Amino acid sequence: MSHTTITVAAGDLSTAVGPISATGLALLTGAMLVMGVVGKGKKKLASGPAQLVGMLTELAFLRSGPPFRDIGTAVQSIPQGIAETPGLGAPGLGAVCLLLIVLSLFARIVPVSGALLGLMLGGAFDAADGSIWQALVSILTIPFGLLGA
């Protein structure tokens, strides 16, 4: 049995499915998140997959144009605001990222709260410039580049 090896370079998937803009990805991931968490269809997202789709949705929002970019910026401002709050001792964005990871690992999470936590994680990771979280953002956004977004 012979196997065919396919090498994928930037934008190669767009020839298979057609070009998809960043705004198109934001629309697709947002619809998947909403329908998978609160929709009445056959398929539902569990809390773990809802977190992942939430992160991808937030990253797509931040890379798209209005109105999705505005939604992404608003969601991203929440962890940034917590990181800079003097009443909390200005813990910093790294501490907020770690806190969100601890919550995702140890808190009791239902799909809706998992989706919201994923959105926050995506916004916090993307805002943490120059940190280890940017490596995770780079890995999670590889499909965006392959689709031409």
Side-chain angles (χ1 to χ4, degrees):
M1 184 167 147
S2 67
H3 296 285
T4 304
T5 304
I6 299 172
T7 305
V8 178
D12 275 356
L13 289 179
S14 66
T15 58
V17 297
I20 299 174
S21 68
T23 303
L25 278 174
L27 179 64
L28 291 170
T29 57
M32 183 173 24
L33 186 65
V34 171
M35 296 306 295
V37 172
V38 296
K40 303 291 184 203
K42 290 181 182 180
K43 302 286 184 187
K44 300 286 276 185
L45 288 173
S47 59
Q51 287 180 42
L52 178 63
V53 173
M55 281 196 304
L56 291 173
T57 300
E58 176 65 8
L59 294 172
F61 281 177
L62 290 170
R63 281 151 182 77
S64 68
F68 297 110
R69 171 79 178 160
D70 299 334
I71 296 168
T73 303
V75 170
Q76 189 178 48
S77 70
I78 296 169
Q80 285 177 322
I82 294 169
E84 299 165 359
T85 301
L88 295 174
L93 210 46
V96 172
C97 290
L98 288 172
L99 173 65
L100 290 170
I101 290 172
V102 167
L103 288 174
S104 71
L105 292 174
F106 298 110
R108 184 179 193 121
I109 297 175
V110 296
V112 172
S113 60
L116 294 173
L117 190 57
L119 288 167
M120 296 294 167
L121 279 165
F125 288 172
D126 193 65
D129 291 330
S131 68
I132 189 75
W133 311 117
Q134 283 295 304
L136 185 58
V137 168
S138 296
I139 291 168
L140 288 173
T141 56
I142 286 173
F144 298 177
L146 294 175
L147 290 168

